[in-house]
């Protein structure tokens, strides 16, 4: 038994192949995909739909689990991010108090100020054979599986 | 932050389409796929390779994350099982102290004495569009996503 924080993140792609980006402020500043914390007793699948809706106004359908990220905090706590992707959704895009949202071509991602560690997560979303981003305690560079 | 137990399970399929089964004793008796507990600071990917090797003698290659199971213990602890599948491996099959192992045709699974809750996990392995088996606290019947 151990302690943990459980979160999710979702790459939503539109019919033009652009991806849905959110600009975070606060203690994790920069652009990234929408997502957030999984609540107590909440199914993972429902949590990612809820988070994307809250942050972007879009209701995603059929989010597919494509991988996981994990790292460890200094107190030994495990931090897990469940990574999803989908290209189906309904609703109208709108920003939230958590940050501005917009559609962005994938190739433009790399020119933005990205949230810390976000770029290192992209291989899981963009390369089908990679399914885990893993950081050993106190390491800044991930291992991919 | 919450407390958690993290485990894995893997469906290994051979060239005849048979699946690798293990007969558990102890407090979770019955047939199921091999798997076990993820250790502190262990990548999920490495954990499933280690567990399948320890329990069956086979070294699996390219296990793919195909879904998750989660339920909650009476003390509120979250219990997560990461579900993988693969059809590539090397090595010689051998049983371990944790239980007898053998290859079994999928259709014969249902005639065996299966470990509690194992049959309810099979849709994630056998049906591509199902990726989560979720039990609300105190519920015996899962919801599938």
């Amino acid at each position: 038994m151990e302690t943990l924080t459980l979160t999710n993140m979702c790459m939503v792609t539109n019919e033009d192949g652009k991806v849905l980006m959110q600009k975070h402020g606060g203690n994790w500043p920069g652009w990234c995909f929408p997502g957030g914390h999984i609540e107590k007793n909440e199914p993972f699948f429902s949590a990612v739909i809820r988070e994307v809706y809250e942050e972007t106004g879009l209701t995603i359908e059929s989010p597919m689990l494509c991988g996981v990220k994990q790292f460890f905090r200094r107190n030994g706590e495990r931090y897990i991010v469940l990574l999803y992707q989908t290209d189906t959704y309904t609703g109208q895009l709108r920003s939230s108090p958590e940050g501005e949202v917009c559609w962005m071509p994938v190739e433009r991602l790399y020119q933005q100020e990205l949230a810390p560690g976000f770029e290192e997560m992209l291989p899981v979303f963009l390369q089908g054979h990679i399914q885990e981003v893993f950081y050993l305690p106190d390491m800044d560079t991930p291992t991919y599986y």
Side-chain angles (χ1 to χ4, degrees), chain A:
Chain A
M1 200 173 79
E2 54 182 309
T3 60
L4 130 125
T5 293
L6 261 179
T7 66
N8 56 44
M9 182 172 276
C10 188
M11 182 174 80
V12 185
T13 308
N14 73 7
E15 59 188 7
D16 300 324
K18 294 179 179 172
V19 293
L20 183 54
M21 295 291 287
Q22 181 182 33
K23 189 176 186 180
H24 267 268
N27 59 1
W28 200 52
W31 289 92
C32 61
F33 296 149
H37 283 76
I38 295 162
E39 294 181 355
K40 189 169 174 345
N41 297 351
E42 188 176 36
F44 297 147
F45 185 88
S46 312
V48 68
I49 294 172
R50 178 185 55 72
E51 281 290 350
V52 173
Y53 176 74
E54 288 175 5
E55 299 191 343
T56 72
L58 301 185
T59 299
I60 56 170
E61 290 163 21
S62 312
M64 285 301 299
L65 182 66
C66 61
V68 287
K69 169 181 172 173
Q70 65 168 322
F71 62 93
F72 302 91
R73 288 182 156 160
R74 290 195 178 264
N75 62 4
E77 182 194 338
R78 197 187 285 257
Y79 194 107
I80 296 174
V81 192
L82 295 168
L83 309 176
Y84 289 85
Q85 53 191 11
T86 185
D87 58 5
T88 56
Y89 55 87
T90 57
Q92 290 296 317
L93 193 65
R94 56 139 181 76
S95 296
S96 83
E98 295 210 40
E100 176 191 346
V101 292
C102 70
W103 294 106
M104 196 180 286
V106 172
E107 59 275 18
R108 254 189 50 208
L109 284 194
Y110 300 95
Q111 299 152 20
Q112 310 302 315
E113 195 172 321
L114 301 175
F118 175 66
E119 186 169 343
E120 289 76 8
M121 301 164 74
L122 288 173
V124 177
F125 295 107
L126 301 176
Q127 298 179 42
H129 63 289
I130 295 181
Q131 58 180 330
E132 184 170 347
V133 188
F134 176 81
Y135 291 82
L136 273 171
D138 298 319
M139 291 292 282
D140 289 332
T141 309
T143 306
Y144 294 101
Y145 298 96

